[in-house]
Amino acid sequence: MSLIAVSRFSLFLLLMGYLAGCSGAKDTTRSHTLLSDGWKFSRSTDDTASATNFDDSGWEKVSIPHDWAITGPFDKEWDRQVVAIEQNNEKIPTEKTGRTGALPHIGTGWYRKTFTLPDFKPGKQALLVFDGAMSQPVVYLNGKQVGQWAYGYAYFYIDISKDLLPNQTNTLAVKLTNLPFSSRWYPGAGLYRKVSLIVKNPENFEQWGTFITTPKIDANSATVNIKAKTAGQNLTMSTRIEDANGTTVATFQNEQTAKDTFEQNLTVKAPHLWSPETPYLYTAVTELYANGTLKDVQSIKFGIRSVEYSAAKGFVLNGKATKFKGVCLHHDLGPLGAAINKSALRRQLTILKDLGCNAIRSSHNMPSIEQLELADEMGFLFLAESFDEWGKPKVENGYNLFFEQYAEKDVANLVRATRNHPSIVMWSAGNEVPDQYGAEGLVRAKFLQDVFHREDPTRPVTVGMDQVKQTMESGFGALLDIPGLNYRTHLYEDAHKAFPQGFILGSETASTISSRGVYKFPVEPAKDKNYPDHQCSSYDLESCVWSNLPEDDFILQDDKPWVIGEFVWTGFDYLGEPWPYDEHWPSRSSYFGISDLAGLPKDRYYLYRSRWNTQDETLHMLPHWNWEGREGQTTPVFVYTNYDSAELFVNGKSMGIQQKTKDKTPQHRYRLMWMDVKYEPGTVKVVAFDKDGKPVAQKEMKTAGKPHRIVLDPDVKTLKADGQDLSFVTVSVVDKNGIPCPTATNQMHFKVSGQGTYKAACNGDATSLEVFHLPTMKLFSGKLVVLVQSTQAAGDITLEVSADGLQTGSVGLKSVKP
Ligand code: GAL
């Protein structure tokens, strides 16, 4: 754009700003209201609840996001599934308890809310937007059904312009139904993601209709292409791009030429590229004018970055070959259930950053918008997934019921609602779908991939495949943009030869199982091993029949340049799928996590960290050193470290030097292991060496005495006074010398005073039936986490944690006005 054009344009903007100011910006553009407070909720099955005159005075007052099932109680009868899981090669049906979390999510739930919208006048457009509703939502406005959807993870919106009463009370009612046998994990229940109401002029930007891409990037400049769908006539669209400081770096304006689409190309000079290391975001402010009057404004964050996949270089981000150091995440937030909370998500991503993780796969469904916003801001590559099933079922009442009617719409909404997030670098059309078999499956794979391509020509599509031999023969794997292998490390070579793409993605890897702080003897690799306490050993040598240990994946990624990285199953434990105890009660959450359900790191965390986090030192020892009764018995010590060798000392006696080596087992290449150590109480010390054999780091752990004092460690001390923000306070106990007690199981009691509330607690024990929302819980392996939530008033907050016979712990937090 020439200088003259710029100054004319500025004049235009100034004039428009003046006009907008005169008539009141609120009236001239859109309004966006979050429907979060003032809802009523009931498990009622009474369909008259949709009516305006319905008496909901006895219903529970709730705010959205809300998960009606997370408060429990845990009970194995909820969604008790007597099934043979074909995927796991089971032939005979057995009782699977806890498969979906043993929480009361099955059945019907109703939400009701009344509101008036002074902004709304007939002729305006009003949209009710759901980021997800679990599940089969039926939406009523003023007693009339105005819309419905099916899949609980899908984004959708309903145009309620014709049914909204201007300047009167409107009654919104939403019915949700969760069928039994509809999930393989805990799906949550209710309006667990945000619900918003957008009111726009007749001349407007279509919902999710603007697509920003960056087709040309070099060191000096980047082209930002904006395609926007609009409604109305005699329109002008003007855009300004702001950098992260809010400074305008490019502007553009054009008149309507096509009926309902605008296209603009803007040039950003010396662009800051988005990457996990530099998550730089720009904002495009797009304005729509009709006959010179401002009618609509959107503010869309985006990143400038290029994404390529090739046989020669694999995955290339901004010209640099990059490997996915990724984790799969289910959507639940442990003790918060499925109800979205941005600070809980932020904490997860903060933990993953420290781990050195650079990518997330939203298994096996659409991610929350909040998670994508954080991935953009904090720098994570994102593999956004859609389905766990297509037409053929995995579970009787799964997505197979909706596939024919909804799959295209669900994919289109996924892409349209999220495609401006720079973090998303790949789509996934499915996970281990039974449709990997059969000619129909092939048609469905192509159909879905085409829908993704139609909606977004810039990103490739994968499917996580577990039937690898089948997909090599049928052509299923060959037709995908990205062949994703779930486990099956022994088939990577064959798949690489058979598939034409020239590279393989580890779309799901490891599924190693462990319980934080629990160690079993003898120390040996095992598959599907069961113990009487329903825990798994944290020596990280246990996996499932279909899965493997972390090193099997490390070797492939290190030795085969054509493996473009991995997504470990999973970053955090999740509710449901308590393999290998899914036939044993009690057990209601997974053992797969690198961190536990409370977000506390397991030992495995440090194994991945020693490899993924290339900035910080990792030097971690296991097991703990409190083994009363094991004196003199073999108690191997493992060290996870980024250093290649180290020497171990028990009470000052050297146990020798261990060196990472390719010549023994896969574990010897990535862990340092002293297999013959005999336990004696006291001090274990590890001294790590650099490449020249010089000692560079050391760590010690000591045998603890009896629990004496409670210690509190908050992840953040200052909260936003918005009634949502959380501090995650780790609670542990130490002996009278301050040494952590790793096996303590004391019953803790929590009290929050001041401008905060007790929200929940979690100890990461998959077998615990203590509910999260009551202010008491036992420590598990010496620890638990308490979630303290802000109120809407700023002020001081105190958390006090007490237990019989122990010195009470207390921590002061504060909340400030956002
Ligand atoms: C995979 C599946 C995941 C989870 C995992 C457990 O096959 O895709 O959803 O079930 O196994 O190992």
Side-chain angles (χ1 to χ4, degrees):
M1 193 185 276
S2 73
L3 260 180
I4 297 174
V6 169
S7 59
R8 268 204 209 125
F9 178 56
S10 321
L11 230 147
F12 175 74
L13 279 181
L14 265 174
L15 182 65
M16 286 304 117
Y18 173 70
L19 289 178
C22 289
S23 52
K26 229 179 163 196
D27 274 343
T28 56
T29 60
R30 63 172 63 199
S31 72
H32 187 279
T33 316
L34 262 189
L35 301 184
S36 38
D37 296 326
W39 288 84
K40 293 284 194 67
F41 168 73
S42 165
R43 295 294 308 265
S44 166
T45 50
D46 180 353
D47 271 7
T48 63
S50 59
T52 35
N53 58 357
F54 182 84
D55 178 12
D56 60 15
S57 55
W59 287 21
E60 190 186 343
K61 288 185 181 150
V62 298
S63 56
I64 304 296
H66 176 247
D67 178 346
W68 83 57
I70 191 60
T71 49
F74 290 107
D75 189 329
K76 81 198 249 292
E77 292 307 313
W78 290 117
D79 203 21
R80 191 166 60 91
Q81 302 191 6
V82 181
V83 287
I85 304 179
E86 273 175 44
Q87 263 183 301
N88 301 354
N89 302 321
E90 295 175 5
K91 304 275 181 277
I92 301 160
T94 54
E95 179 179 285
K96 303 288 184 313
T97 49
R99 190 179 191 200
T100 54
L103 287 165
H105 68 280
I106 303 297
T108 308
W110 277 93
Y111 291 83
R112 288 170 55 86
K113 179 179 166 60
T114 53
F115 62 89
T116 49
L117 263 192
D119 275 359
F120 182 75
K121 295 186 185 62
K124 287 206 167 201
Q125 190 185 55
L127 304 179
L128 198 52
V129 187
F130 292 82
D131 286 7
M134 193 63 74
S135 62
Q136 300 195 54
V138 186
V139 183
Y140 302 87
L141 188 67
N142 303 323
K144 178 183 160 197
Q145 184 177 324
V146 289
Q148 71 183 106
W149 212 262
Y151 194 31
Y153 300 101
Y155 323 109
F156 66 98
Y157 64 89
I158 302 168
D159 188 333
I160 53 169
S161 317
K162 295 208 166 57
D163 301 292
L164 204 56
L165 303 173
N167 289 317
Q168 289 178 52
T169 304
N170 288 277
T171 305
L172 177 63
V174 184
K175 179 187 181 184
L176 296 151
T177 308
N178 292 325
L179 297 175
F181 323 126
S182 56
S183 185
R184 299 191 298 114
W185 57 85
Y186 176 66
L191 295 177
Y192 71 110
R193 289 182 179 169
K194 66 179 184 301
V195 180
S196 25
L197 186 53
I198 298 174
V199 177
K200 302 188 285 185
N201 286 311
E203 304 83 0
N204 61 54
F205 289 113
E206 189 182 283
Q207 176 70 4
W208 304 327
T210 301
F211 190 13
I212 305 181
T213 55
T214 52
K216 270 208 311 232
I217 304 173
D218 61 42
N220 302 322
S221 72
T223 304
V224 177
N225 177 273
I226 305 185
K227 291 190 182 75
K229 292 216 157 159
T230 52
Q233 278 161 22
N234 297 325
L235 302 176
T236 304
M237 174 169 152
S238 75
T239 297
R240 67 171 187 275
I241 293 178
E242 295 175 356
D243 68 11
N245 301 318
T247 307
T248 299
V249 293
T251 57
F252 197 95
Q253 180 198 182
N254 60 352
E255 310 267 313
Q256 184 171 26
T257 49
K259 189 170 154 273
D260 57 4
T261 329
F262 274 85
E263 179 160 4
Q264 301 187 333
N265 284 300
L266 292 89
T267 303
V268 173
K269 296 258 159 56
H272 299 276
L273 302 192
W274 184 96
S275 74
E277 298 77 32
T278 57
Y280 195 96
L281 295 176
Y282 290 90
T283 305
V285 182
T286 58
E287 296 175 326
L288 197 67
Y289 296 87
N291 297 316
T293 306
L294 181 63
K295 291 293 181 177
D296 200 4
V297 184
Q298 299 181 115
S299 209
I300 301 174
K301 287 208 165 129
F302 69 99
I304 298 179
R305 51 110 182 100
S306 69
V307 165
E308 297 158 63
Y309 295 81
S310 72
K313 291 197 188 147
F315 169 55
V316 178
L317 179 71
N318 300 330
K320 194 174 125 203
T322 303
K323 291 227 177 187
F324 293 104
K325 303 187 280 186
V327 295
C328 301
L329 293 182
H330 267 316
H331 68 308
D332 78 67
L333 293 167
L336 299 173
I340 277 301
N341 178 289
K342 206 159 178 181
S343 53
L345 286 165
R346 180 176 284 111
R347 170 182 181 249
Q348 282 199 333
L349 268 55
T350 305
I351 293 168
L352 293 175
K353 266 279 156 187
D354 174 71
L355 179 64
C357 164
N358 70 1
I360 292 168
R361 170 185 183 225
S362 61
S363 44
H364 301 299
N365 37 258
M366 293 77 181
S368 68
I369 300 295
E370 290 84 347
Q371 192 182 32
L372 291 172
E373 287 168 355
L374 288 167
D376 291 347
E377 274 167 39
M378 296 172 73
F380 286 90
L381 304 163
F382 216 99
L383 166 44
E385 196 151 77
S386 43
F387 308 120
D388 195 46
E389 281 181 14
W390 297 344
K392 285 190 185 169
K394 275 184 189 169
V395 282
E396 198 178 315
N397 294 321
Y399 194 72
N400 69 86
L401 300 184
F402 313 125
F403 182 82
E404 288 303 331
Q405 198 190 339
Y406 277 96
E408 181 173 358
K409 289 191 273 190
D410 281 341
V411 168
N413 283 6
L414 162 63
V415 177
R416 291 177 196 173
T418 66
R419 59 193 165 179
N420 294 324
H421 290 276
S423 51
I424 300 180
V425 293
M426 196 191 300
W427 304 109
S428 165
N431 171 64
E432 299 186 353
V433 290
D435 276 293
Q436 286 163 104
Y437 283 99
E440 240 181 341
L442 224 65
V443 174
R444 288 178 178 141
K446 170 143 181 16
F447 167 72
L448 289 174
Q449 181 163 276
D450 287 349
V451 177
F452 275 106
H453 288 168
R454 180 191 77 203
E455 298 296 328
D456 175 9
T458 73
R459 297 174 177 96
V461 180
T462 190
V463 169
M465 298 180 288
D466 62 333
Q467 303 304 320
V468 179
K469 286 204 169 135
Q470 166 67 18
T471 57
M472 288 196 285
E473 284 159 20
S474 68
F476 187 105
L479 79 79
L480 301 171
D481 298 330
I482 310 272
L485 259 59
N486 285 10
Y487 314 101
R488 317 299 184 285
T489 47
H490 60 288
L491 292 174
Y492 270 52
E493 286 278 3
D494 291 352
H496 178 232
K497 284 191 201 116
F499 295 146
Q501 296 87 344
F503 54 82
I504 299 285
L505 169 69
S507 41
E508 198 174 304
T509 62
S511 268
T512 300
I513 40 185
S514 63
S515 306
R516 178 179 55 77
V518 175
Y519 306 89
K520 303 291 186 187
F521 302 95
V523 175
E524 57 193 12
K527 293 274 183 193
D528 296 340
K529 183 93 190 238
N530 284 184
Y531 301 94
D533 62 356
H534 297 179
Q535 304 292 354
C536 303
S537 178
S538 203
Y539 273 104
D540 299 327
L541 292 171
E542 296 177 2
S543 57
C544 318
V545 267
W546 62 88
S547 68
N548 54 268
L549 299 180
E551 288 84 357
D552 301 322
D553 303 309
F554 295 169
I555 287 173
L556 282 170
Q557 285 151 51
D558 289 348
D559 295 353
K560 313 286 175 197
W562 41 266
V563 178
I564 64 172
E566 66 169 318
F567 287 87
V568 177
W569 191 264
T570 44
F572 296 90
D573 277 336
Y574 51 93
L575 291 163
E577 211 183 34
W579 189 272
Y581 297 109
D582 62 344
E583 292 174 2
H584 305 261
W585 184 254
S587 182
R588 45 60 171 169
S589 50
S590 81
Y591 301 80
F592 296 113
I594 291 176
S595 293
D596 73 12
L597 196 71
L600 295 169
K602 300 181 187 173
D603 291 298
R604 229 166 341 128
Y605 181 90
Y606 301 95
L607 182 58
Y608 285 98
R609 190 180 190 274
S610 67
R611 163 182 178 79
W612 282 355
N613 182 336
T614 50
Q615 308 295 316
D616 304 306
E617 175 184 288
T618 300
L619 186 56
H620 175 79
M621 262 185 284
L622 65 127
H624 60 71
W625 213 240
N626 263 62
W627 293 108
E628 209 180 330
R630 285 194 64 78
E631 289 79 3
Q633 293 184 49
T634 303
T635 307
V637 175
F638 290 4
V639 168
Y640 298 157
T641 179
N642 53 305
Y643 297 110
D644 282 342
S645 66
E647 185 168 8
L648 190 78
F649 300 87
V650 176
N651 292 333
K653 286 186 300 267
S654 173
M655 300 287 118
I657 293 176
Q658 290 291 334
Q659 172 95 35
K660 290 180 188 167
T661 171
K662 286 188 185 176
D663 300 337
K664 293 185 185 165
T665 67
Q667 281 63 49
H668 284 91
R669 184 164 165 190
Y670 299 95
R671 318 179 182 192
L672 300 175
M673 300 183 291
W674 289 261
M675 296 305 291
D676 303 322
V677 178
K678 302 274 184 289
Y679 175 68
E680 56 182 71
T683 305
V684 195
K685 183 168 92 175
V686 64
V687 178
F689 305 115
D690 68 8
K691 295 253 178 293
D692 307 322
K694 208 170 94 216
V696 279
Q698 67 171 58
K699 273 265 162 73
E700 265 187 10
M701 82 188 154
K702 288 185 189 313
T703 307
K706 293 220 157 39
H708 175 72
R709 177 165 59 87
I710 298 171
V711 177
L712 307 187
D713 181 17
D715 70 332
V716 292
K717 284 195 148 179
T718 305
L719 300 178
K720 283 198 272 305
D722 60 1
Q724 291 295 317
D725 210 4
L726 293 168
S727 177
F728 289 77
V729 184
T730 302
V731 177
S732 59
V733 294
V734 293
D735 70 6
K736 60 181 184 332
N737 298 316
I739 299 169
C741 302
T743 58
T745 55
N746 306 64
Q747 187 78 37
M748 299 280 142
H749 302 280
F750 319 118
K751 203 176 124 205
V752 178
S753 52
Q755 295 306 340
T757 55
Y758 168 79
K759 179 69 181 174
C762 182
N763 62 11
D765 177 1
T767 72
S768 168
L769 299 183
E770 288 182 294
V771 287
F772 304 117
H773 68 291
L774 294 180
T776 180
M777 190 171 278
K778 275 169 97 168
L779 294 176
F780 176 63
S781 296
K783 285 185 183 169
L784 58 76
V785 174
V786 176
L787 285 64
V788 177
Q789 190 156 50
S790 63
T791 63
Q792 297 200 348
D796 291 334
I797 305 169
T798 307
L799 166 67
E800 228 178 66
V801 182
S802 58
D804 275 356
L806 300 185
Q807 201 176 308
T808 297
S810 164
V811 67
L813 311 170
K814 72 170 182 207
S815 69
V816 294
K817 272 278 155 222

